[in-house]
Amino acid sequence: MADVTMRIWRGDATGGDFENYTISQNEGEVVLDIIHRIQATEAPDLACRWNCKAGKCGSCSAEINGKPRLMCMTRMDDLPEGTVTVTPMKTFPIIRDLVTDVSFNFEMAKRVPALLPPPMPEGGYRMFQQDVERGQEFRKCIECFMCQDVCHVIRDHEENKVNYAGPRFFIRYAELEMHPLDTNDRRELLKEELGLGYCNITKCCTEVCPEHIHITDNAIIPLKERVVDADYDPVAWLGRKIRRRTKKTAAEASVQPAP
Amino acid sequence: MFNYVPEMFRAETAETEEEGDKWYDDHTAGRRPPELLPRDEVARAINTEVKAGRGSPHGGVFLDIASRRTPEYIRRRLPSMYHQFMELAGVDITRESMEIGPTCHYIMGGVQVIADSAATAVPGLFAAGEAAGGLHGANRLGGNSLSDLVVFGRRAGMGAAEYIEAGDVATSFNMEEAEAAVKGALDPLNREEGENPYTIQHDLQEMMQALVGIIRTGPELEEAKDKLDEFTERVKNISVKGARAYNPGWNLATDLPSMLTVSRSTALAASLRKESRGGHTREDYPNPDPEFAKFNFALSSDGGNWDSPISAAQSPLLPLPDELKALLEEAH
């Protein structure tokens, strides 16, 4: 096969530039194979993060020809002919070359209020299969953080990072909020501190998700509806004026104690 | 013969309860498809087929699930496999067969630990999971790696906490040794001329695959030992460029000595184990030898450095604790 020219961003927090590498390729290879070949032959100090090479660990996120992709799941023969450009994720601070500091996400993870189930009755609870499946879609997340990378709310507005959980965590919130046994109420938090309203449903996150999670449709929009229901429904507003708002208890929700 | 096959696999292929029982009770009457044999048997079978010239175009064999299960079932039960074959190879496993081949998957050997605390022979060092050896015998069963981590990871944590609470922790260390270790790590960066670590890693992988691979023979293992001495010299002459921050070439340079320790230990133990057992197959000793079932080979470094000579001693297997023996008897 013909050699390919790779245009790769090299540098660190102080700055950097593109470097071109012309390198051999074989049938069926992915971008990560080519990066490894550049490391092995021309640039042993080219930094990139990777682990499983099977699209399951979420480590090798980068921007390939400007689009967030997993390097291990992007086949060279799927890319248009010509030079392939690889840059680090733009939303996160650079450590070196293709490696970024994604700790913003870990800080956001710490702020997620945990599942709060009611006391367990004898014999536990039995969960309906449809409730299991609803949460399982969000559990497919491999934390590649490409949805966070592509989201313009933080990609183009650094100042929003203190007040925006981002798509990855909106699916986590959705999973918890939709869990039939959960009694925590995160709606106020989502509205006031985690910027749910900043999302204007451009679906970029859904488009880049390597696990094909319907982030916008199945998580963000239902969350927005819940927040809106709580806040702008006149009956609920009146009810809140009269008594403190409480979420449905598990006993009232769809889950029934196991026989 | 099949009583060690996990329940979920048995349920996967037995079409009736009677069939499942038949496998369970009468191990000679089993009608088990070859892909559900233990890993080592599957790997050897593939190797034999490919060597006999009956392999697939890329030097493997074909594995088919499409003819046995519906597309919905395959997508639901094997989502990752479906996704990976589809995206990386353009193969739809709900309609066509997969091309597969054996690969290095897991190391059954590892650092010898005390089972209750996961403590190693080095005071204050604890090991759990694939780094530790002995738990899985000669052939790990599917799924047991995770339970190993959960159980022995916890024990290692508790062992480490107890060690600290007992107050035996070393409060001083040998500065000269520390300085020598730092110098050793930095040598590849300071060396002007030398070999590329990636070339050495690649050559090491090729050599180990060829001579210490799935099917082993005495002469090939001896050849591997000689070659590993050459690799040891090559590793002492690595040169890498760049700085210390996130430099994969330098990271590999500091990993290679450990890769050689593991490779040398594997080759030595494999040459001493003159039998075939589990994942270890000797063409020149094709059968298990009951004498070898009584001990592990415990290897130690004479000198403590990565390039020091390694010696082997027989470490008798501990007797099965009574409560486990009772459990096994109950199951039969």
Side-chain angles (χ1 to χ4, degrees):
Chain A
M1 286 182 79
D3 287 1
V4 62
T5 299
M6 304 292 287
R7 185 165 168 265
I8 296 172
W9 195 87
R10 304 287 317 264
D12 56 27
T14 61
D17 207 350
F18 285 98
E19 259 183 60
N20 283 350
Y21 301 92
T22 300
I23 196 104
S24 64
Q25 57 174 335
N26 303 311
E27 189 200 341
E29 281 186 328
V30 292
V31 171
L32 187 59
D33 291 319
I34 309 297
I35 297 288
H36 281 161
R37 187 165 300 122
I38 293 171
Q39 279 182 335
T41 55
E42 296 194 33
D45 60 340
L46 167 61
C48 84
R49 204 182 261 131
W50 68 282
N51 263 296
C52 76
K53 262 202 102 207
K56 283 284 161 267
C57 77
S59 303
C60 65
S61 312
E63 297 185 7
I64 298 167
N65 291 342
K67 194 179 171 187
R69 307 278 300 261
L70 292 177
M71 292 195 283
C72 73
M73 293 301 282
T74 305
R75 287 175 59 152
M76 291 298 289
D77 55 13
D78 278 349
L79 298 170
E81 294 243 344
T83 303
V84 176
T85 304
V86 187
T87 49
M89 287 195 283
K90 187 191 164 201
T91 299
F92 307 115
I94 300 278
I95 293 177
R96 227 169 76 77
D97 303 341
L98 301 176
V99 178
T100 55
D101 176 0
V102 294
S103 48
F104 159 75
N105 300 289
F106 307 138
E107 293 308 314
M108 278 300 158
K110 287 184 201 161
R111 287 167 66 176
V112 182
L115 181 88
L116 188 64
M120 282 288 158
E122 192 148 330
Y125 288 99
R126 180 176 293 178
M127 204 161 163
F128 289 117
Q129 185 58 31
Q130 68 197 62
D131 288 325
V132 174
E133 278 163 16
R134 194 178 298 122
Q136 262 179 353
E137 180 187 6
F138 306 135
R139 283 269 156 177
K140 290 197 305 186
C141 175
I142 57 172
E143 299 214 305
C144 63
F145 302 127
M146 295 196 299
C147 56
Q148 307 284 78
D149 178 45
V150 81
C151 181
H152 63 90
V153 176
I154 43 177
R155 186 180 177 91
D156 301 326
H157 304 277
E158 182 67 29
E159 69 279 10
N160 283 344
K161 280 188 181 169
V162 282
N163 281 321
Y164 190 67
R168 190 274 166 267
F169 293 99
F170 290 145
I171 65 170
R172 178 72 182 131
Y173 281 95
E175 183 201 342
L176 289 164
E177 284 290 304
M178 294 175 190
H179 194 292
L181 276 186
D182 180 55
T183 60
N184 251 340
D185 187 346
R186 304 168 186 79
R187 290 176 292 190
E188 194 69 12
L189 179 70
L190 282 164
K191 176 169 173 274
E192 298 300 334
E193 292 177 40
L194 298 173
L196 183 65
Y198 286 156
C199 164
N200 51 3
I201 326 186
T202 51
K203 296 198 179 184
C204 308
C205 50
T206 304
E207 202 176 301
V208 300
C209 179
E211 286 291 318
H212 308 298
I213 301 169
H214 299 92
I215 302 173
T216 317
D217 289 347
N218 289 356
I220 297 180
I221 291 175
L223 279 182
K224 279 173 176 277
E225 286 171 348
R226 280 171 187 239
V227 169
V228 168
D229 271 357
D231 245 56
Y232 302 108
D233 177 344
V235 179
W237 176 83
L238 191 64
R240 264 201 318 280
K241 284 283 167 198
I242 297 164
R243 61 177 176 87
R244 220 181 116 75
R245 170 165 45 92
T246 51
K247 199 171 160 178
K248 263 189 183 179
T249 64
E252 294 158 352
S254 64
V255 170
Q256 301 299 321
Chain B
M1 162 177 197
F2 302 122
N3 56 345
Y4 48 67
V5 172
E7 194 68 41
M8 87 172 249
F9 294 130
R10 196 176 308 123
E12 282 298 306
T13 47
E15 267 144 32
T16 62
E17 200 172 324
E18 289 72 34
E19 191 186 345
D21 288 347
K22 205 162 135 192
W23 283 348
Y24 199 75
D25 298 333
D26 179 4
H27 303 147
T28 54
R31 185 178 66 82
R32 179 163 294 272
E35 65 272 19
L36 285 182
L37 289 169
R39 289 189 170 123
D40 61 302
E41 290 185 39
V42 177
R44 274 197 299 273
I46 295 173
N47 198 63
T48 312
E49 286 300 297
V50 174
K51 268 196 174 163
R54 293 187 290 266
S56 63
H58 295 92
V61 296
F62 289 108
L63 173 64
D64 169 58
I65 184 148
S67 65
R68 287 186 69 92
R69 289 291 182 268
T70 64
E72 298 74 47
Y73 179 94
I74 296 167
R75 277 194 291 266
R76 194 177 74 246
R77 297 299 298 269
L78 303 167
S80 301
M81 208 179 282
Y82 171 72
H83 178 80
Q84 284 165 5
F85 270 94
M86 197 58 138
E87 301 222 352
L88 292 175
V91 171
D92 181 354
I93 64 165
T94 68
R95 289 149 42 93
E96 45 196 325
S97 50
M98 306 159 245
E99 224 179 319
I100 60 155
T103 179
C104 180
H105 179 63
Y106 190 90
I107 290 195
M108 261 80 74
V111 184
Q112 195 172 36
V113 296
I114 296 167
D116 288 327
S117 63
T120 67
V122 178
L125 182 69
F126 298 79
E130 194 173 353
L135 179 69
H136 301 288
N139 195 5
R140 181 175 67 83
L141 302 184
N144 276 6
S145 185
L146 189 59
S147 11
D148 174 10
L149 287 176
V150 173
V151 173
F152 289 89
R154 179 168 180 271
R155 287 187 180 189
M158 295 195 301
E162 260 173 44
Y163 173 77
I164 288 168
E165 279 163 12
D168 294 336
V169 185
T171 48
S172 66
F173 65 97
N174 185 329
M175 199 58 202
E176 269 174 37
E177 279 183 12
E179 278 165 1
V182 171
K183 185 185 170 296
L186 292 176
D187 274 346
L189 282 173
N190 296 330
R191 207 172 276 126
E192 286 291 315
E193 291 289 314
E195 205 175 354
N196 179 345
Y198 286 96
T199 313
I200 300 180
Q201 184 196 26
H202 178 261
D203 293 351
L204 180 63
Q205 286 173 333
E206 295 278 305
M207 187 282 284
M208 288 297 285
Q209 190 74 35
L211 301 180
V212 198
I214 298 168
I215 314 284
R216 297 152 172 182
T217 69
E220 283 183 349
L221 290 168
E222 292 309 316
E223 192 187 336
K225 285 197 241 172
D226 292 341
K227 290 236 157 88
L228 283 166
D229 290 338
E230 294 167 24
F231 275 101
T232 303
E233 294 310 309
R234 284 171 72 181
V235 165
K236 292 175 183 170
N237 187 37
I238 293 175
S239 165
V240 290
K241 61 173 186 175
R244 281 158 62 179
Y246 223 119
N247 182 339
W250 181 47
N251 295 158
L252 178 58
T254 57
D255 282 350
L256 270 165
S258 305
M259 291 183 194
L260 274 178
T261 302
V262 172
S263 300
R264 288 165 66 218
S265 303
T266 308
L268 174 60
S271 71
L272 292 172
R273 191 162 278 278
K274 296 184 166 62
E275 64 159 353
S276 291
R277 181 181 296 279
H280 168 71
T281 301
R282 286 282 299 258
E283 203 171 58
D284 39 0
Y285 299 95
N287 298 311
D289 176 345
E291 280 306 304
F292 276 105
K294 294 174 183 165
F295 58 87
N296 287 323
F297 284 109
L299 312 183
S300 52
S301 163
D302 311 328
N305 294 318
W306 69 272
D307 56 346
S308 305
I310 295 173
S311 58
Q314 294 182 6
S315 170
L317 291 188
L318 301 174
L320 202 59
D322 287 339
E323 67 268 23
L324 289 185
K325 213 179 279 175
L327 267 180
L328 284 178
E329 275 160 17
E330 215 172 276
H332 278 284

